Amino acid sequence: MCGIVGYIGGRQATPILLSGLKRLEYRGYDSAGLALLNGEGVKVLKKPGKIRVLEEAIDGHPHLATCGIAHTRWATHGAPNEPNAHPQTSSNGDIALVHNGIIENSDVLRAQLQAEGYTFASETDTEVVVHLIDFLWKDGPLENAVAAALREVDGAYGIAVVSSRDPEKIVVARNGSPLLIGVGQDGEMLAGSDAAAVIERTRDVVYLDDGDYAVLTPEGYRTYHLEGHEVDRGVQEVTWDLDSIEKGGYEHFMLKEIFEQPSSLADVMRGRLLEDQGDARLGGILAHQFDLGRIQRIVITACGTSWHAGLVGEYMIEELAGIPVTVEYASEFRYRNPVLEDGTLTLAISQSGETADTLAALKEAQRRGLKTMGVVNAVGSTIARQTDFGIYLHAGPEIGVASTKAFTSQLVALALFTLFMGRRREMSALEGAGIVQHLQVLPSQVEEVLKLNDEIRDLAASYRDARNFLYLGRGYQFPVALEGALKLKEVSYIHAEGYPAAEMKHGPIALIDEEMPVVVLAPRDPIYGKVVSNVEEVKARNGRIIAVVSDDAPELQGKVDHMIKVPHTLPHLLPVLTTIPLQLLAYHIAVMRGCDVDQPRNLAKSVTVE
Ligand code: G6P
């Protein structure tokens, strides 16, 4: 979490830094700050709260400078107040540093620096690094002192540093937290936590690797490894454009991204469906068919919404490709001692490609000599680069903190992978072709679901004051129930639980009364009849039932309070269609409750700390 921007060039830095920060606000919004460098030294301004607050503070008092660094924070060490906001500065204010990550040995370093006479103005782990740079900086350029300090540091960081003792440059470094360089034109260079921070000025980016640091000057950039040697990381072009990270007329990014799903789903399938062969063409894994052919088991690891996609993946891959699958929270996987026999593929699912726990789980699997695969949205992200092979979602940037379009793209990417693996095992060409045909029409079916928006908004008005919600589903719909509950919790702060419908009688049924809305996922799949019985159980306790169905569901008529009807498709693809009404329901309830849907309290989109 946390977002970093840096600029050096011929223009005024402040507006460029603020605009970059706003594009990174999804990474955290507890406080924001910037440090500007001009002939008069380092000028720091920081404020608790969102970037808007910082911007208001700057308004009317612009500080002229053509070099600066900036930060938006998601608090880890210390409350989100002004002293803890970044940039952190050296005692005499001549070095300023912004940081994303966690310095794990900060307590030890802090004690050592205090013994050397340093006093600390904040509770952050970051301040340790800036004092350490000061302590180790005897002579020579800033980058030597930064590198010397980073060699003492354990943990994760993306940092940017400026100093009036060695002006006309920004030093950046990364280890475990993302950081890239934007190679501008006409003598300007940028840095950012991701490409969104720099795209207004350049599409040419250089992704730093762990252990790299770089020096940016108006003349260009040089990259080095902490071990001392210069490295060449190569320039890559960002393929998406600014429009895709603007709201485009929608009130919120979340709504825009929900409505983008017909096109994001078309994009994840583009060029990948082979109807004649009943197969999927997956360029990112084709060259690894041999390894995949030897796979005997798959461990899916992910966090949050991506973990829910993994659960759907488990059901699909086991049923249609016949490969045993387990799904693990990455945060659990990395610290237990899982049995990972030869022939196990570790599959990491991540929208951002930067989630610290998922990355650590991946590294643990690699340490054990296992093959790893990624299902990732952010092109060039750490997880995408760390895995042996993978499938990109091509969903475009997702800005709303609550994941929507990335989730449905993950489901389809997993369906494509299932098809690919199934066709290399027992699945017939005919069955494969049937799946391809259903996939082809999925985007237009999603269009149909989106037409329910007004109906769902009306429904939201009836339930906006509920204090609890229960979501029930079975089979492929159980992960959808979890995801529906998570969406509502995230954006509306209403307590919600997702449950396998049949498990309800082992506990949650005690919660049901006339106050309790229960969302039941009841499309006509092979387990529909069982779900109808579960509906009866809720009805008998006077629960208020919203059913998501895929036909007229005569068995449920008169038993449920509301019915939301989505088109029908194959059972393993139905989650794509049944999820969307739940996204809309959460969105509208949150808006009606006055919540900040795009930036819910305490959350961040990219969780780069454990
Ligand atoms: C955060 C986000 C969630 C997301 C999860 C995993 O908690 O708020 O929306 O599902 O991280 O992120 P990833 O980028 O790895 O999919």
Side-chain angles (χ1 to χ4, degrees), residues 1 26 302-308 349-356 358-359 375 377 383 398 400-404 406 410 483 486-487 490 603-607:
M1 8 268 277
Y26 72 85
C303 303
T305 288
S306 299
W307 184 80
H308 294 157
I349 306 176
S350 176
Q351 186 287 125
S352 62
E354 301 294 349
T355 303
T358 310
L359 184 59
V375 171
N377 191 31
I383 292 173
E398 191 180 63
V401 165
S403 183
T404 52
Q410 287 166 345
E483 176 60 10
L486 179 65
K487 280 295 85 82
E490 283 179 308
L603 298 180
K605 180 128 195 92
S606 183
V607 183

Short mmCIF file of all heavy atoms in Angstrom, two decimals, residues 1 26 302-308 349-356 358-359 375 377 383 398 400-404 406 410 483 486-487 490 603-607, ligand 1:
data_model
loop_
_atom_site.label_atom_id
_atom_site.label_comp_id
_atom_site.label_asym_id
_atom_site.label_seq_id
_atom_site.Cartn_x
_atom_site.Cartn_y
_atom_site.Cartn_z
N MET A 1 0.83 -1.18 0.00
CA MET A 1 0.00 0.00 0.00
C MET A 1 0.87 1.24 0.00
O MET A 1 2.06 1.13 -0.02
CB MET A 1 -0.88 0.05 1.23
CG MET A 1 -0.57 -0.99 2.22
SD MET A 1 -1.55 -2.36 1.92
CE MET A 1 -3.01 -1.94 2.74
N TYR A 26 -5.92 5.14 -4.61
CA TYR A 26 -6.51 3.84 -4.29
C TYR A 26 -5.56 3.00 -3.43
O TYR A 26 -5.95 2.05 -2.79
CB TYR A 26 -6.87 3.08 -5.58
CG TYR A 26 -5.67 2.58 -6.35
CD1 TYR A 26 -5.09 1.36 -6.03
CD2 TYR A 26 -5.10 3.33 -7.36
CE1 TYR A 26 -3.98 0.89 -6.71
CE2 TYR A 26 -4.00 2.87 -8.05
CZ TYR A 26 -3.45 1.65 -7.71
OH TYR A 26 -2.34 1.20 -8.38
N ALA A 302 -4.20 -16.99 -2.94
CA ALA A 302 -4.68 -15.63 -3.26
C ALA A 302 -5.22 -14.99 -1.98
O ALA A 302 -5.24 -15.63 -0.92
CB ALA A 302 -5.79 -15.70 -4.32
N CYS A 303 -5.66 -13.76 -2.09
CA CYS A 303 -6.26 -13.04 -0.96
C CYS A 303 -7.56 -12.38 -1.42
O CYS A 303 -7.71 -12.05 -2.60
CB CYS A 303 -5.35 -11.91 -0.47
SG CYS A 303 -3.72 -12.44 0.00
N GLY A 304 -8.44 -12.12 -0.48
CA GLY A 304 -9.64 -11.32 -0.72
C GLY A 304 -10.50 -11.86 -1.85
O GLY A 304 -10.76 -13.07 -1.95
N THR A 305 -10.91 -10.96 -2.71
CA THR A 305 -11.78 -11.33 -3.83
C THR A 305 -11.09 -12.36 -4.73
O THR A 305 -11.74 -13.28 -5.25
CB THR A 305 -12.14 -10.05 -4.62
OG1 THR A 305 -13.05 -9.31 -3.81
CG2 THR A 305 -12.78 -10.35 -5.94
N SER A 306 -9.79 -12.22 -4.91
CA SER A 306 -9.08 -13.17 -5.77
C SER A 306 -9.14 -14.58 -5.19
O SER A 306 -9.16 -15.58 -5.92
CB SER A 306 -7.62 -12.74 -5.94
OG SER A 306 -7.56 -11.48 -6.55
N TRP A 307 -9.18 -14.66 -3.87
CA TRP A 307 -9.31 -15.97 -3.21
C TRP A 307 -10.69 -16.56 -3.54
O TRP A 307 -10.82 -17.77 -3.77
CB TRP A 307 -9.11 -15.79 -1.70
CG TRP A 307 -9.12 -17.05 -0.91
CD1 TRP A 307 -8.10 -17.94 -0.76
CD2 TRP A 307 -10.22 -17.55 -0.11
NE1 TRP A 307 -8.50 -18.97 0.06
CE2 TRP A 307 -9.79 -18.76 0.47
CE3 TRP A 307 -11.51 -17.11 0.14
CZ2 TRP A 307 -10.61 -19.52 1.31
CZ3 TRP A 307 -12.33 -17.86 0.97
CH2 TRP A 307 -11.87 -19.04 1.55
N HIS A 308 -11.71 -15.72 -3.57
CA HIS A 308 -13.04 -16.22 -3.94
C HIS A 308 -13.03 -16.77 -5.37
O HIS A 308 -13.64 -17.80 -5.65
CB HIS A 308 -14.09 -15.11 -3.82
CG HIS A 308 -14.29 -14.66 -2.40
ND1 HIS A 308 -14.79 -13.42 -2.08
CD2 HIS A 308 -14.05 -15.28 -1.22
CE1 HIS A 308 -14.85 -13.31 -0.77
NE2 HIS A 308 -14.40 -14.41 -0.22
N ILE A 349 -3.43 -16.03 -7.84
CA ILE A 349 -4.40 -15.15 -8.49
C ILE A 349 -4.30 -13.77 -7.83
O ILE A 349 -4.37 -13.68 -6.60
CB ILE A 349 -5.84 -15.67 -8.34
CG1 ILE A 349 -5.93 -17.12 -8.84
CG2 ILE A 349 -6.83 -14.79 -9.11
CD1 ILE A 349 -7.29 -17.75 -8.63
N SER A 350 -4.13 -12.74 -8.64
CA SER A 350 -4.02 -11.41 -8.06
C SER A 350 -4.38 -10.35 -9.10
O SER A 350 -3.83 -10.36 -10.21
CB SER A 350 -2.60 -11.18 -7.56
OG SER A 350 -2.45 -9.86 -7.09
N GLN A 351 -5.26 -9.47 -8.73
CA GLN A 351 -5.57 -8.35 -9.62
C GLN A 351 -4.35 -7.45 -9.77
O GLN A 351 -3.90 -7.18 -10.88
CB GLN A 351 -6.75 -7.55 -9.03
CG GLN A 351 -7.31 -6.42 -9.89
CD GLN A 351 -6.43 -5.20 -10.01
OE1 GLN A 351 -6.09 -4.77 -11.12
NE2 GLN A 351 -6.01 -4.65 -8.89
N SER A 352 -3.81 -7.00 -8.63
CA SER A 352 -2.72 -6.02 -8.66
C SER A 352 -1.38 -6.63 -9.03
O SER A 352 -0.50 -5.95 -9.53
CB SER A 352 -2.58 -5.37 -7.28
OG SER A 352 -2.24 -6.37 -6.33
N GLY A 353 -1.24 -7.92 -8.73
CA GLY A 353 0.08 -8.56 -8.91
C GLY A 353 1.10 -8.09 -7.90
O GLY A 353 2.30 -8.33 -8.06
N GLU A 354 0.65 -7.42 -6.84
CA GLU A 354 1.59 -6.87 -5.86
C GLU A 354 1.26 -7.29 -4.42
O GLU A 354 1.97 -6.87 -3.51
CB GLU A 354 1.59 -5.33 -5.91
CG GLU A 354 1.96 -4.72 -7.25
CD GLU A 354 3.40 -4.99 -7.67
OE1 GLU A 354 4.20 -5.48 -6.84
OE2 GLU A 354 3.72 -4.72 -8.84
N THR A 355 0.22 -8.06 -4.21
CA THR A 355 -0.19 -8.39 -2.84
C THR A 355 0.93 -9.15 -2.13
O THR A 355 1.38 -10.20 -2.60
CB THR A 355 -1.50 -9.21 -2.88
OG1 THR A 355 -2.46 -8.42 -3.57
CG2 THR A 355 -1.99 -9.52 -1.49
N ALA A 356 1.37 -8.60 -1.00
CA ALA A 356 2.57 -9.11 -0.35
C ALA A 356 2.41 -10.57 0.06
O ALA A 356 3.33 -11.38 -0.12
CB ALA A 356 2.89 -8.25 0.87
N THR A 358 0.46 -12.90 -1.19
CA THR A 358 0.41 -13.79 -2.36
C THR A 358 1.81 -13.98 -2.93
O THR A 358 2.23 -15.09 -3.29
CB THR A 358 -0.55 -13.23 -3.43
OG1 THR A 358 -1.79 -12.91 -2.78
CG2 THR A 358 -0.80 -14.21 -4.54
N LEU A 359 2.54 -12.88 -2.96
CA LEU A 359 3.91 -12.94 -3.48
C LEU A 359 4.78 -13.83 -2.58
O LEU A 359 5.57 -14.65 -3.07
CB LEU A 359 4.47 -11.51 -3.52
CG LEU A 359 5.85 -11.34 -4.12
CD1 LEU A 359 5.89 -11.83 -5.55
CD2 LEU A 359 6.25 -9.86 -4.08
N VAL A 375 -2.38 -15.75 -12.46
CA VAL A 375 -3.55 -15.20 -13.15
C VAL A 375 -3.64 -13.77 -12.63
O VAL A 375 -4.06 -13.53 -11.50
CB VAL A 375 -4.83 -16.01 -12.85
CG1 VAL A 375 -6.06 -15.30 -13.39
CG2 VAL A 375 -4.72 -17.41 -13.46
N ASN A 377 -3.85 -9.33 -13.31
CA ASN A 377 -4.34 -8.26 -14.18
C ASN A 377 -3.24 -7.26 -14.55
O ASN A 377 -3.08 -6.91 -15.70
CB ASN A 377 -5.51 -7.52 -13.52
CG ASN A 377 -6.21 -6.59 -14.49
OD1 ASN A 377 -6.24 -6.85 -15.69
ND2 ASN A 377 -6.73 -5.50 -13.99
N ILE A 383 4.11 -10.10 -9.29
CA ILE A 383 3.68 -11.51 -9.35
C ILE A 383 3.73 -12.01 -10.79
O ILE A 383 4.15 -13.14 -11.06
CB ILE A 383 2.28 -11.68 -8.71
CG1 ILE A 383 2.39 -11.43 -7.20
CG2 ILE A 383 1.70 -13.07 -8.98
CD1 ILE A 383 1.08 -11.39 -6.44
N GLU A 398 -8.02 -1.29 -12.60
CA GLU A 398 -9.19 -1.29 -11.71
C GLU A 398 -8.86 -0.33 -10.58
O GLU A 398 -7.89 -0.53 -9.86
CB GLU A 398 -9.46 -2.70 -11.18
CG GLU A 398 -10.80 -2.81 -10.48
CD GLU A 398 -11.05 -4.22 -9.95
OE1 GLU A 398 -10.28 -4.67 -9.08
OE2 GLU A 398 -12.00 -4.86 -10.41
N GLY A 400 -11.50 1.35 -8.39
CA GLY A 400 -12.37 1.16 -7.22
C GLY A 400 -11.71 0.15 -6.29
O GLY A 400 -11.23 -0.89 -6.74
N VAL A 401 -11.68 0.48 -5.00
CA VAL A 401 -10.96 -0.42 -4.08
C VAL A 401 -11.64 -1.79 -4.03
O VAL A 401 -10.97 -2.82 -3.95
CB VAL A 401 -10.83 0.25 -2.70
CG1 VAL A 401 -10.43 -0.76 -1.64
CG2 VAL A 401 -9.78 1.36 -2.78
N ALA A 402 -12.96 -1.81 -4.08
CA ALA A 402 -13.65 -3.11 -4.09
C ALA A 402 -13.57 -3.69 -5.50
O ALA A 402 -14.00 -3.07 -6.47
CB ALA A 402 -15.11 -2.91 -3.68
N SER A 403 -13.02 -4.86 -5.61
CA SER A 403 -12.78 -5.46 -6.92
C SER A 403 -14.09 -5.93 -7.55
O SER A 403 -14.90 -6.59 -6.90
CB SER A 403 -11.82 -6.64 -6.75
OG SER A 403 -11.51 -7.19 -7.99
N THR A 404 -14.31 -5.58 -8.80
CA THR A 404 -15.53 -6.02 -9.50
C THR A 404 -15.17 -6.67 -10.84
O THR A 404 -15.25 -7.88 -10.99
CB THR A 404 -16.49 -4.83 -9.73
OG1 THR A 404 -15.78 -3.77 -10.36
CG2 THR A 404 -17.10 -4.36 -8.42
N ALA A 406 -12.34 -7.16 -12.21
CA ALA A 406 -11.22 -8.11 -12.15
C ALA A 406 -11.71 -9.49 -11.72
O ALA A 406 -11.23 -10.51 -12.20
CB ALA A 406 -10.13 -7.61 -11.21
N GLN A 410 -11.26 -12.87 -13.68
CA GLN A 410 -10.55 -14.01 -13.08
C GLN A 410 -11.35 -15.29 -13.29
O GLN A 410 -10.79 -16.34 -13.62
CB GLN A 410 -10.34 -13.77 -11.58
CG GLN A 410 -9.27 -12.72 -11.29
CD GLN A 410 -9.31 -12.23 -9.84
OE1 GLN A 410 -10.28 -12.44 -9.11
NE2 GLN A 410 -8.24 -11.57 -9.42
N GLU A 483 -18.40 -13.70 -1.95
CA GLU A 483 -18.02 -12.47 -2.63
C GLU A 483 -19.10 -11.40 -2.47
O GLU A 483 -18.79 -10.22 -2.26
CB GLU A 483 -17.73 -12.77 -4.11
CG GLU A 483 -17.43 -11.58 -4.99
CD GLU A 483 -16.19 -10.78 -4.57
OE1 GLU A 483 -15.43 -11.23 -3.70
OE2 GLU A 483 -16.01 -9.67 -5.11
N LEU A 486 -18.74 -10.01 0.96
CA LEU A 486 -17.54 -9.18 1.06
C LEU A 486 -17.77 -7.81 0.42
O LEU A 486 -17.40 -6.77 0.99
CB LEU A 486 -16.35 -9.88 0.40
CG LEU A 486 -15.03 -9.11 0.41
CD1 LEU A 486 -14.51 -8.92 1.83
CD2 LEU A 486 -13.96 -9.81 -0.43
N LYS A 487 -18.40 -7.80 -0.76
CA LYS A 487 -18.65 -6.52 -1.44
C LYS A 487 -19.47 -5.60 -0.54
O LYS A 487 -19.17 -4.43 -0.40
CB LYS A 487 -19.42 -6.71 -2.76
CG LYS A 487 -18.66 -7.16 -3.98
CD LYS A 487 -17.65 -6.21 -4.52
CE LYS A 487 -16.33 -6.33 -3.85
NZ LYS A 487 -15.39 -7.30 -4.17
N GLU A 490 -17.40 -4.35 2.46
CA GLU A 490 -16.35 -3.41 2.07
C GLU A 490 -16.88 -2.01 1.84
O GLU A 490 -16.29 -1.04 2.29
CB GLU A 490 -15.68 -3.87 0.75
CG GLU A 490 -14.71 -5.00 0.90
CD GLU A 490 -14.12 -5.39 -0.45
OE1 GLU A 490 -14.90 -5.65 -1.40
OE2 GLU A 490 -12.91 -5.46 -0.56
N LEU A 603 -9.46 0.52 4.08
CA LEU A 603 -9.03 -0.44 3.05
C LEU A 603 -8.01 0.19 2.12
O LEU A 603 -7.85 1.40 2.08
CB LEU A 603 -10.22 -0.90 2.21
CG LEU A 603 -11.34 -1.65 2.92
CD1 LEU A 603 -12.42 -2.03 1.93
CD2 LEU A 603 -10.79 -2.90 3.59
N ALA A 604 -7.34 -0.64 1.37
CA ALA A 604 -6.50 -0.16 0.27
C ALA A 604 -6.60 -1.20 -0.82
O ALA A 604 -6.91 -2.36 -0.57
CB ALA A 604 -5.07 0.01 0.71
N LYS A 605 -6.36 -0.76 -2.03
CA LYS A 605 -6.54 -1.68 -3.15
C LYS A 605 -5.40 -2.66 -3.26
O LYS A 605 -5.59 -3.82 -3.61
CB LYS A 605 -6.65 -0.87 -4.44
CG LYS A 605 -6.84 -1.74 -5.65
CD LYS A 605 -8.01 -1.28 -6.45
CE LYS A 605 -8.46 -2.31 -7.45
NZ LYS A 605 -9.50 -3.19 -6.91
N SER A 606 -4.22 -2.17 -3.02
CA SER A 606 -3.06 -3.01 -3.25
C SER A 606 -2.36 -3.17 -1.92
O SER A 606 -1.81 -2.22 -1.38
CB SER A 606 -2.18 -2.30 -4.27
OG SER A 606 -1.09 -3.09 -4.59
N VAL A 607 -2.42 -4.36 -1.36
CA VAL A 607 -1.94 -4.56 0.01
C VAL A 607 -0.52 -5.11 -0.05
O VAL A 607 -0.31 -6.32 -0.10
CB VAL A 607 -2.89 -5.48 0.80
CG1 VAL A 607 -2.42 -5.62 2.24
CG2 VAL A 607 -4.30 -4.89 0.78
C1 G6P B 1 -7.23 -5.94 -1.14
C2 G6P B 1 -8.32 -5.37 -2.02
C3 G6P B 1 -9.24 -6.49 -2.49
C4 G6P B 1 -8.45 -7.58 -3.18
C5 G6P B 1 -7.32 -8.10 -2.30
C6 G6P B 1 -6.37 -9.00 -3.09
O1 G6P B 1 -7.77 -6.39 0.05
O2 G6P B 1 -9.06 -4.40 -1.32
O3 G6P B 1 -10.20 -5.97 -3.39
O4 G6P B 1 -9.29 -8.62 -3.53
O5 G6P B 1 -6.54 -7.01 -1.80
O6 G6P B 1 -5.72 -8.21 -4.05
P1 G6P B 1 -5.09 -8.74 -5.39
O7 G6P B 1 -4.59 -7.51 -6.07
O8 G6P B 1 -3.98 -9.67 -5.02
O9 G6P B 1 -6.15 -9.43 -6.17
#
